[in-house]
Structures are given as C-alpha cells and as structure tokens.
Amino acid sequence: MVGSPTSDVVHRHAICAPSRGWVLPLSEAPDPAFSSGALGKGVAIELLDDLLCAPCAAKVVAIAKARHAITLELPGGAQILVHCGIDTVALNGAPFTIMVEEESQVSVGDPLIRVDLEAVTRAGKSLATPVVLIEPANTRLEIVSGEGLCVAGDPLFTLRSMKASSADARPDEAYSAQCSVVLPNPHGLHARPSAAIASEAARWSGPIAVALEGRSANARSATALMKLGATHGAELTIQSGGVDAEQALAALTSLIENGAGDEINSLQLSQFTETLPAALERKASAPEGSPQGMISGVAAAPGQILGPAYYLQRAKLQLSETSQGKDIELERLRTSLSQLSAHLQSGNDNISAKISAAHRAILNDPVLIDNVEKRVSEGSSAAMAWQAVMSEEAASLRALPDQRLAERADDFADLEQQLLRILIGQKIEVTAPPGSIVIASDLYPSDLQPLAEAGIAGIATMGGGPTSHLAILAAAAGIPMVVALGKPLCQVEEGETTHLNGDTGTLRHGLTTQDQAMLIEEIEQRRAAHKLAGDHADKDTYLASGERIEVFANLGRVADAEEAVTSGAEGCGLLRTEFLFLDRATPPSEDEQVAIYREVIDKFGERPVIIRTLDIGADKPAAYLPLEAEENPALGVRGIRLGLLYPELLKAQIRAILKAAGERACYIMAPMIASVSEVDALRRMLDEIRSELSHAATVKLGAMVETPASALLAPALCKRLDFLSIGTNDLTQYVLAADRMNPEMAVMLDPMNPAILQLINMTAKAGISSNRMLGVCGSAAADHTAAAVLVGLGVGELSANAAQLPELKQHLRSLTLDKCREAARAALASETSVQAREAAMHILTSASKG
Ligand code: PEP
Ligand code: MG
C-alpha cells in the first residue's frame, strides 16, 4: 500500500539545559501545576549555577513581570517556558536580573536570567526550574536526558515538529503515534533491513507505516519499504495506530536505529561501498592505452584468473497464459510459494542465510502477494500474474537513483524465475564447466551455489553491480567477478582463454599464447607475493635502501585492533572514535570511553595508538546533540569545530584518552583542522585537563591535514603540534570540490592529482624542516603507487586498513628511497592524475626490475 503520509517531519530541535544542575522528572517538581503536566511536558532542573541560558535558538516572546520566567518561541510556533524556581513569582523579581529583551532573538547558550541562588533559598523557595513545552504547536517531545547532573548546553529533550504536508492534508485517524528516525544503514533501506522491519511490524496489531519525503509505505511490506528508496541518513517517519501503537512505534524505532540487522557501528566504509567508487574510477580510466582485447567493467569480487569463456544461456520458460480457474491457480501459487520458501531456508553460512531471509520476506510480503492474487482473481494464470508483478517491482527498484538499492531489482528477477520454474515444473539449475569463466547478461543470487559447486573459476556479467547479492556471495565463495562489462563482452568467443581481473574490474580476451604465458606467470607471482607478504607481515618495514617506514593500521571499532595486530600493524595511525558516539541516545560516559581506549591501547602494547577525537557532524548526527540539518554538512559543524562547540564532549574524550593511556605515551589527533586558533584552543584545553588530572606522562598532540587550509598552514601547525597525519580522503574532496560520497565524482577523486600532491609536498616540507612526525591515514596510503610517491615526498608513516597491510609492507620493502623520490618528482611535475600515476609507475616498475 503506497499512499500519502499524514505529515512530514520538518524540524528537530534539541532543547538544552539552561544551567548546571540536577535533572528531575517534571513529576517531581514541588508544584502540582508543573508536576501534573497541566502546563505541558518537560523536565525540571535543581539549579547549581546562578546563570540561566537560552536552551535553544528562539525568540523571547514573554518575560514575566516578576522576572522569574521567560517564554521562548521556536520557529514553527512551539513555546518553551523556563521558570526559575518554584513559587518564585512571590519574590517580586528581587533575586532576578533579566539579561535579554522581549522580542529579541536568542541563540542557544545566550544568557537569559541571572539569579541570586542564596536569596531564593533564604526565601524558602525551591530552586527546581521547570523547562516546559507549554505550546506544542504540532511538535512531539522526546526526553533525552534522564535524571542526574547536567551542565548548561546538555540536551534535555528533543522537539520534533510536524507540518502538514499539503494544505488539504488531514491527520489520518488510523495513526495515533508517530516519530522520526534517521536511517543509519550504510546501504540504505535495502532488502535485508526492509525484511527485518516488515517482520517486526507483523508482530503488532495496528496499522504501521514508514514515510519518507511525502511517500508512505506499509511497514509490513518489505517491497514497499525498499521502494521508498531511503538512503543512508534519510529521515524516516514511523506512524502507528491501534491498541499497541506506542509499543509498536518504540520497537520499530529501536530496530531501525540499530540498523535492522545491518552492521552500522563501524564508520569505515564497508567493503562494498569502498568498491564502488574505486571500481567506477577504474572503469572510466582503463580503456585508454590498455592492451588489446581489454574490456573495462566494475570490480565486484577480488582475485584474478585465466580460463575458457563459457556463455551461460537460460532456457526460455514456457508459461501457461490461460488460467485453469481462479481457485486452481491460487492453490498452485500458494503451494509454489511455500515450496520456494522452504527451499530458501537452506542457506547455511551467515551471508547466504541473511540473503535467504530477505528473499523469504519478499515471498511473504502481504502487499506483493495481494497484488498477485488480485491478478489471479481477475483471470490471470498464476505464472502470468507472478511474472507481471515481479517484473513491475524489479522495474521500479531499477528506477531508484541510489545504485545500491537499484541493484536489489536482481533479487526480484531471481525470485520471479525461481517461482516460475516451480510453477511450470521445470527444475533447471544453471551449470558450467569447471574452471570456466562464466559470461552472462546477468546472473541471480540463486545461481551462485550451483555454479560454485560446478567449480567455475570466475564470473563476468554485462550488467549488474558490485553491491548486488550475487557479488557478495561470489566474494564470500572466493570467485573473482567483474560486472557492468556492457556490450563489448559479446566480443568474447565461447571457449576462448580469457583473463578476468576482479581486482581491477577488467576482462581481457584475444590473448596470444605469449600473453597467456605472461599472465599465468603474473598470477603465479601475485599468489606467491601474497603468501610472502603474509609470511613477513609481523616484521617492521624498511625500504630496500634501509630507511624505516612505519606501517600502521586504521581502526573503526575495537574489534579491528586484533586483526590489525595480526596483520602486522606497527601501530595505529587512526582510531576513528565515532563508533562510540553515534547511534545512541546519550553520549558515552568517560568511564565507557576509558575502557574502550584502554582495550585498544593494550592490544597494541608498546606500539603507538593515535586516537582521533570525534569527527561527527550534521552528516553523522548524534541524537543528543542539537545539530540542525545543514545544506552542506561536509562544510559545516564537524570534526574539531563540533568539539570546540561542545567543549564538555571533547573534554570528556580527552580526559578519557589520558586516563586510558595512564603512564604510557599517548597520541591525540584532531580532525578537520582549518586554522591555528583551533589548535591553540585544543592545546589550552589539553593543558587544563592535564593539570586538572596531574597527568605527567608524554602526550603527543597532532592534527589531520585534510583541509586545504591546514596544508597551506602546515609550518604554523608544526610550531604548535607534535605530528601531522594527512587525510587524503577529505583533502582530495576539498581540494577538488568533489563530494567523496558521490559515485559520480569517483573518477575525479584521485589523490595522485598533482594539485593534491603539491599540498602534500608543502606539508611534508614543513614537517621535515620542523622535525615533526608526518603520516598519511587516508586511503592513498594503501594505494601502492601513491604510497611510494608519499614516501618520496617525505612521509614516514602510512596507515591503512588491516587487510591491506601485509602487501603494503612487502611493496615498500621492494622500493628504494631514491626511486620513491624520483617517482614523487615526476608525479609533481605532471599535469593530470593519469599522467602523474603513469610517470610514477614507470619509474617504480623499472626500479623493481632493475
Ligand atoms: C581522511 O579524510 O582521509 C581520513 C582518514 O578521515 P575519514 O576518512 O575518517 O574522514
Ligand atoms: Mg577525514
């Protein structure tokens, strides 16, 4: 059921503590006017400070004559009353000084009232200060802070304002509860989370809908949910009705906030998201000057292989168009559905079990099945009705702008085929000769298992995408796969020996015997190199000319530390701490942070662990921070800017890092530095905390160089800091003004662009002349050509994901500093990324041979 929603969530306002104090439930305020909730919902704060500040950005609409209370109006009309103390109207204003004017506009934290605490207490009045939503004006209040100590600026509650989506929209009586939730899933609302939401919704009795931007989907329909096309960060409105509306809402909100079965904690892009831009880049750049017979596609599952091409043909299904009568056709449909559903249960490893569960959810989708049954009732055969509905579903998914969601269309096409085969009693499973490279216009997830069992060597498809379920399954089965090879794939002849490269996303045919011999040797060498790299992973890294290069690991969660150490990490070059701060209602406590940082530091023993302070912002919102949506979150309040705006949050993190390190040296790194004043503020904060804690052990303070300003200001930063680490991911996006999250920009986002190299060169010069540690923790560190150039420019530490370390270390061991410098000079002198890469590669490969 797709219809229009009752309302859209248009704003979320955080209402913060106006002062330091103890937060109490409003029901405990010693005045029935407040405790009964008659004046509105909210909380009370037992004041510990004499200054009351604005809890949100708003207009001052009323100041009580007795100066003890102020009413603020938010955009949209909601009004908040800040009432200083209980029964304080009787004090006739004596203890209060008003610091704003009526009709003035205030920002969060602006002073409102100064209160003489002693005078209030002497007068026998309570200092419990209600902060109450007296005029909801279409808003819904959600308490954020529980009881306990708060400081001014801590979030107390959130107001979600609702606005009628159109002039004639009337509230839908069916829904009595509603709230909004930000979708945390990196791949959006795809099949698996949709299925999880649909099955949770099925447990409740009333109507439940999920709405996005004016469109609403029945929450019990996984397909309708998928068709919303909700991508990561989308603000969904959940609406529920019936006797259990509130419980259903709470259950669904929590399910969605926790990823609905998807891994959402790690901030590192998942392997699939990373594959997409990199692969698109390769697709765009491969053809020019590439060997004859090379077809460029998109890498979907890693590995390379040489084998005979085998065209997989599907027999056309002969469907019966005539209905045998409604009852017979419905019966056949239902039996086939349960047969297919039962067959899908057989997935045993984790990923295929999840995919099977998503497929089962599609088969159990009440809306979808209703549609098919309706067609059957109108006279279609079961087969024709099924085919029509499933191809419509697939077509509407393919039309979605988000590629990852569009790739879910294959799941529908797959189920369409599988059910049709059952309906017509044709049990054909695909097969291919062992060792072959299977070529197909497209393949479905259900094809993978029989093909893997047949022992195929690789898969090449004309269409498809790297995040499809088929690609996930192929990667899990260790079968190299390249997708989106397009029409040129038809040039490959059946049986001809073909080279499939799932690392670069290419397929090469028309190979001479000599080409084949070279490729076999290359593949063998790669296998041997891979093994050698693994065998030497635990050794420190020295260039062939003897210079030490530190190879560190980037971590995005605690669990990464173990893998990093076993992969030979010589330290941690970047601990992304965001995982601790996101997807939760309150910030992590200092103790929780201490425990986590300590666990990571302990894992690394004597080796350095660089902990980056939180890098969140409007693009990665934290529920407990009053962050407004921003037009350009990448250019807004993120990284150090956010830390300095919410100093208590940053201070708690710094305290936790120092405590976790204890007597050991610790390394603190700030993200998104763009000015020296930010560094100065951070240094002051650190010094204050160190003296507060009497912390005497070594603390190295560093900054990420990921804004053009920080690279240009590197000499000034070096004066103030102990180390710099270049974040090439952001540096590239900001220098080239190309959004790193936009796959269309992937072609541009090459850190080997000479413009970026110039900035890295400037940074390196500053680091060298002031003898500061200089590292790179962006993904350029793991790009072998770029890594050599970075070393040539003077970078002494490279930090990459754990899985990339053994080969990176081995690669560095094959280089001399002179060759790296020569490659760097050539790249710097180039005019384009392609030229820079080619020039550097030319020098480096001649080095390894010579
Ligand atoms: C970078 O920007 O290069 C970096 C390492 O930081 P992140 O990817 O976490 O933004
Ligand atoms: Mg960054």
Side-chain angles (χ1 to χ4, degrees):
M1 182 193 74
V2 176
S4 54
T6 53
S7 59
D8 295 332
V9 173
V10 291
H11 277 301
R12 188 171 60 171
H13 299 286
I15 308 299
C16 301
S19 187
R20 193 163 68 92
W22 283 98
V23 183
L24 306 170
L26 196 57
S27 57
E28 287 179 23
D31 180 345
F34 288 109
S35 60
S36 65
L39 288 170
K41 289 186 181 173
V43 296
I45 297 171
E46 192 73 46
L47 291 187
L48 292 172
D49 239 18
D50 63 354
L51 183 65
L52 283 168
C53 299
C56 53
K59 186 168 148 192
V60 179
V61 288
I63 300 176
K65 278 216 182 80
R67 301 198 287 264
H68 67 299
I70 286 189
T71 305
L72 301 167
E73 187 171 291
L74 284 89
Q79 292 188 351
I80 301 282
L81 173 72
V82 181
H83 191 281
C84 187
I86 298 289
D87 194 25
T88 39
V89 63
L91 304 178
N92 285 323
F96 306 109
T97 313
I98 294 291
M99 306 177 80
V100 279
E101 287 182 7
E102 231 165 72
E103 295 297 305
S104 63
Q105 196 65 39
V106 287
S107 300
V108 64
D110 285 354
L112 294 180
I113 308 177
R114 187 161 308 269
V115 47
D116 181 342
L117 299 177
E118 253 187 71
V120 175
T121 327
R122 266 199 320 269
K125 304 294 180 196
S126 161
L127 280 168
T129 294
V131 182
V132 177
L133 176 66
I134 52 169
E135 167 53 64
N138 265 335
T139 60
R140 180 187 164 83
L141 179 148
E142 287 162 17
I143 300 285
V144 173
S145 168
E147 294 174 55
L149 195 62
C150 70
V151 294
D154 280 355
L156 293 177
F157 51 84
T158 305
L159 293 186
R160 296 180 191 276
S161 68
M162 312 292 176
K163 186 180 79 178
S165 59
S166 65
D168 57 0
R170 282 183 296 109
D172 187 336
E173 306 284 305
Y175 301 116
S176 54
Q178 163 167 316
C179 78
S180 68
V181 51
V182 173
L183 188 70
N185 305 54
H187 299 164
L189 200 48
H190 61 90
R192 279 169 277 138
S194 299
I197 295 168
S199 87
E200 177 61 41
R203 294 184 29 217
W204 304 95
S205 62
I208 307 176
V210 176
L212 174 70
E213 291 165 2
R215 289 167 303 119
S216 171
N218 179 342
R220 293 190 179 86
S221 165
T223 54
L225 290 170
M226 267 192 273
K227 280 193 287 180
L228 285 175
T231 50
H232 172 74
E235 187 157 359
L236 302 174
T237 302
I238 325 285
Q239 299 165 305
S240 59
V243 284
D244 46 18
E246 290 289 345
Q247 295 97 309
L249 195 67
L252 279 157
T253 310
S254 139
L255 178 74
I256 296 172
E257 281 174 347
N258 289 305
D262 267 2
E263 171 82 51
I264 55 166
N265 273 344
S266 163
L267 273 186
Q268 289 179 340
L269 295 174
S270 79
Q271 57 171 321
F272 309 116
T273 342
E274 274 177 347
T275 310
L276 181 59
L280 286 173
E281 178 174 356
R282 283 192 288 271
K283 179 170 171 59
S285 58
E288 207 180 312
S290 44
Q292 252 221 316
M294 176 81 92
I295 305 171
S296 187
V298 171
Q304 9 178 339
I305 198 79
L306 204 66
Y310 174 79
Y311 276 86
L312 190 101
Q313 308 284 1
R314 278 176 207 283
K316 192 160 165 22
L317 301 178
Q318 300 297 323
L319 305 184
S320 95
E321 291 184 20
T322 340
S323 169
Q324 310 268 300
K326 178 182 144 204
D327 292 341
I328 297 177
E329 295 292 338
L330 282 179
E331 182 54 33
R332 294 181 60 209
L333 175 71
R334 285 170 196 154
T335 321
S336 310
L337 280 168
S338 29
Q339 217 176 312
L340 179 53
S341 218
H343 171 71
L344 290 174
Q345 315 265 355
S346 56
N348 46 13
D349 65 61
N350 208 9
I351 187 68
S352 63
K354 278 187 184 166
I355 294 172
S356 289
H359 283 188
R360 272 199 307 283
I362 297 176
L363 296 180
N364 292 327
D365 187 324
V367 178
L368 185 122
I369 302 302
D370 269 5
N371 271 342
V372 184
E373 293 191 347
K374 198 162 151 261
R375 283 175 188 256
V376 172
S377 305
E378 287 164 2
S380 270
S381 67
M384 297 308 282
W386 178 253
Q387 190 180 44
V389 169
M390 292 301 272
S391 31
E392 275 167 20
E393 295 292 340
S396 54
L397 278 175
R398 275 198 191 99
L400 290 175
D402 185 281
Q403 181 179 353
R404 287 182 293 265
L405 292 170
E407 282 172 22
R408 297 297 167 256
D410 281 353
D411 295 314
F412 284 82
D414 189 2
L415 291 169
E416 177 196 325
Q417 290 290 312
Q418 290 190 68
L419 194 97
L420 289 178
R421 273 189 242 136
I422 296 177
L423 272 171
I424 62 172
Q426 198 178 2
K427 192 183 174 315
I428 313 167
E429 269 187 348
V430 293
T431 188
S436 59
I437 292 176
V438 169
I439 297 187
S441 55
D442 40 27
L443 278 177
Y444 302 129
S446 66
D447 297 328
L448 203 273
Q449 199 186 337
L451 289 176
E453 280 167 9
I456 63 157
I459 299 174
T461 62
M462 220 183 256
T467 65
S468 64
H469 280 152
L470 176 69
I472 295 171
L473 290 170
I479 299 175
M481 175 168 165
V482 179
V483 297
L485 286 151
K487 287 218 175 93
L489 190 58
C490 304
Q491 296 159 7
V492 180
E493 280 177 30
E494 173 91 40
E496 87 168 298
T497 302
T498 307
H499 177 232
L500 182 83
N501 192 334
D503 301 321
T504 56
T506 51
L507 178 137
R508 203 176 146 198
H509 67 112
L511 301 168
T512 61
T513 332
Q514 202 187 357
D515 290 336
Q516 291 180 29
M518 274 169 58
L519 283 164
I520 290 173
E521 197 187 321
E522 208 177 283
I523 293 171
E524 280 312 316
Q525 273 173 2
R526 265 200 67 78
R527 274 198 197 126
H530 188 75
K531 181 166 180 324
L532 188 72
D535 293 347
H536 290 77
D538 59 345
K539 301 200 179 88
D540 284 350
T541 313
Y542 291 88
L543 298 181
S545 45
E547 297 79 6
R548 171 83 202 275
I549 303 293
E550 291 177 305
V551 179
F552 286 4
N554 291 346
L555 315 181
R557 48 189 188 156
V558 188
D560 292 344
E562 178 78 52
E563 192 198 343
V565 172
T566 42
S567 304
E570 298 159 28
C572 162
L574 167 66
L575 172 63
R576 290 179 166 104
T577 56
E578 293 77 32
F579 70 95
L580 262 163
F581 291 84
L582 294 172
D583 306 316
R584 51 192 296 161
T586 52
S589 70
E590 210 173 293
D591 288 348
E592 183 183 347
Q593 293 189 60
V594 173
I596 298 280
Y597 303 146
R598 189 171 287 151
E599 200 179 328
V600 176
I601 294 173
D602 286 350
K603 273 263 153 36
F604 278 83
E606 294 299 301
R607 288 166 278 205
V609 173
I610 300 178
I611 301 182
R612 178 174 78 182
T613 59
L614 77 169
D615 184 9
I616 58 178
D619 56 335
K620 304 167 198 159
Y624 48 87
L625 290 178
L627 297 176
E628 290 291 334
E630 290 177 15
E631 285 269 313
N632 296 303
L635 304 179
V637 183
R638 64 169 282 200
I640 190 68
R641 300 169 189 175
L642 184 129
L644 295 176
L645 197 64
Y646 298 97
E648 292 310 321
L649 202 63
L650 183 55
K651 281 184 191 166
Q653 185 174 31
I654 294 175
R655 272 196 301 270
I657 298 172
L658 297 182
K659 287 182 185 169
E663 296 299 305
R664 297 170 284 195
C666 79
Y667 300 78
I668 300 175
M669 177 163 77
M672 285 294 292
I673 290 287
S675 72
V676 291
S677 54
E678 290 161 342
V679 172
D680 291 341
L682 180 66
R683 174 67 79 183
R684 272 196 303 276
M685 190 183 277
L686 174 65
D687 290 347
E688 270 168 33
I689 296 171
R690 291 189 72 192
S691 81
E692 199 183 285
L693 298 178
S694 307
H695 184 273
T698 308
V699 180
K700 302 272 188 203
L701 186 62
M704 292 199 64
V705 173
E706 50 185 348
T707 63
S710 57
L712 293 162
L713 292 170
L717 297 182
C718 284
K719 276 193 217 152
R720 293 163 166 83
L721 293 163
D722 303 299
F723 67 94
L724 297 178
S725 182
I726 303 172
T728 49
N729 306 339
D730 275 318
L731 186 62
T732 307
Q733 95 161 330
Y734 294 129
V735 171
L736 301 174
D739 183 352
R740 66 190 261 198
M741 302 310 288
N742 182 347
E744 300 281 318
M745 297 293 106
V747 176
M748 285 185 72
L749 289 167
D750 189 338
M752 286 289 284
N753 186 308
I756 295 151
L757 295 178
Q758 300 287 357
L759 287 174
I760 297 178
N761 190 30
M762 289 177 67
T763 311
K765 280 191 173 150
I768 293 164
S769 63
S770 49
N771 203 20
R772 294 292 183 262
M773 279 158 55
L774 179 68
V776 170
C777 58
S779 53
D783 168 336
H784 287 194
T785 309
V789 168
L790 292 169
V791 168
L793 291 174
V795 170
E797 174 242 307
L798 295 168
S799 192
N801 294 342
Q804 298 166 320
L805 299 185
E807 295 207 9
L808 175 60
K809 293 175 81 161
Q810 203 57 22
H811 169 64
L812 293 169
R813 289 179 188 122
S814 72
L815 303 170
T816 63
L817 187 56
D818 278 352
K819 281 290 170 189
C820 292
R821 286 185 173 150
E822 203 187 321
R825 275 195 298 274
L828 275 174
S830 303
E831 292 179 349
T832 67
S833 321
V834 173
Q835 280 173 14
R837 204 169 267 287
E838 275 174 2
M841 264 163 76
H842 178 73
I843 290 163
L844 294 168
T845 45
S846 67
S848 62
K849 281 172 194 153

